[in-house]
Amino acid sequence: MTSSGSPRTARVQRETSESSIDLSLNLDGSGVSDIETTVPFYDHLLTAFARHSLTDLTLRASGDIEIDVHHTVEDVGIVLGQAIREALGDKRGISRYGDALVPLDEALAQAVVDISGRPFLVHSGEPAGFEYHLIGGHFTGSMVRHVFEAIAFNAGLTVHVTVLGGRDPHHIAEAEFKALARAFRQAKSLDPLVAGIPSTKGAL
Ligand SMILES: [Mn+2]
C-alpha cells in the first residue's frame, strides 16, 4: 500500500498481430509468480525477477514464435514496463533509488535504478558474442538489452546495468535480471522517512 492507501497493483492486457499478453502484478508482494510466455528461458528470467524484486507476477503470453521469440519477448517487456508505471502511481513515499551487485557463480552484474520518470538505459559489459548466443535453444543474448530497454522506457526508469564478469551466457543473463530485480526492489520500497514524492520538483 502507498502512503495514500491505494494498492500498488496493475493489470495490462495487450493484443497485436504479433503477440497476446495478459499481465498482473503487485509491487508489494512476496515474489510469487505464475509465468508462461512459451519461451522457457524467459520464464526462468522473469520468475527470478519476480522473486528477487518481491513483485507478485502473473503472466500469460503467446505470439508468433514460429518466426522468432523476439516479438513475444520484447512485447512482454513493454507490458511489464507499462504495468510497473501504472502500479507505482504517483510514487509517493518511495525510496526512488536502488542498486545491487549480484553474482551467479563466475558471473557478476551490477544494476542501478532511479524511478525518475525519465526513461534511460545504459547497458554495457556483456562479453563479445553474447548477443548472438542462443540460450535454452530460443533466447538470444541480444534479447536481454531489448527487455531492459522495454522495461525502462515503458516504466519511466533510469536503469544502468553493467556486467562485470562472466563466461556462461545463462549465468550472465540471469545475474543481470537478478541485479535489476534487487535494485528495483530497493527503489520501489516505501521509506517511512520519505514524506511525499521524493523529488525537489515535486513530481516523478
Ligand atoms: Mn538459471
Side-chain angles (χ1 to χ4, degrees):
M1 306 284 274
T2 62
S3 49
S4 59
S6 41
R8 296 199 299 172
T9 62
R11 180 180 185 186
V12 177
Q13 292 163 290
R14 183 180 191 269
E15 195 93 31
T16 71
S17 61
E18 295 178 345
S19 70
S20 174
I21 296 162
D22 187 349
L23 183 151
S24 302
L25 59 72
N26 177 8
L27 294 180
D28 297 305
S30 56
V32 176
S33 63
D34 177 8
I35 295 168
E36 288 177 20
T37 67
T38 75
V39 183
F41 185 66
Y42 197 30
D43 293 354
H44 184 54
L45 294 175
L46 291 171
T47 299
F49 179 82
R51 170 64 68 93
H52 294 288
S53 67
L54 301 182
T55 299
D56 292 347
L57 182 61
T58 303
L59 169 61
R60 290 292 177 276
S62 58
D64 55 1
I65 63 166
E66 71 283 0
I67 296 173
D68 186 10
V69 303
H70 193 116
H71 300 146
T72 300
V73 170
E74 189 164 18
D75 292 352
V76 165
I78 290 169
V79 169
L80 178 56
Q82 289 172 341
I84 287 170
R85 179 190 281 266
E86 185 181 328
L88 283 168
D90 65 7
K91 302 164 188 165
R92 199 170 291 275
I94 61 168
S95 297
R96 178 175 167 180
Y97 298 102
D99 62 271
L101 199 54
V102 172
L104 203 175
D105 296 348
E106 89 296 345
L108 181 64
Q110 180 182 51
V112 183
V113 170
D114 176 9
I115 301 178
S116 60
R118 294 192 311 279
F120 211 96
L121 175 70
V122 180
H123 183 225
S124 65
E126 290 174 344
F130 176 85
E131 63 269 46
Y132 310 121
H133 192 87
L134 266 182
I135 309 169
H138 301 282
F139 189 97
T140 51
S142 63
M143 294 313 303
V144 172
R145 182 175 299 174
H146 283 306
V147 174
F148 290 171
E149 281 170 347
I151 293 171
F153 278 71
N154 288 279
L157 309 178
T158 301
V159 175
H160 291 244
V161 178
T162 309
V163 176
L164 298 167
R167 179 180 168 275
D168 181 273
H170 182 131
H171 287 172
I172 293 167
E174 190 171 331
E176 292 190 83
F177 269 75
K178 286 177 171 172
L180 178 64
R182 288 292 294 214
F184 179 60
R185 167 183 166 175
Q186 192 177 26
K188 74 177 167 67
S189 69
L190 297 171
D191 182 339
L193 297 178
V194 172
I197 297 164
S199 165
T200 52
K201 292 200 301 282
L204 289 171

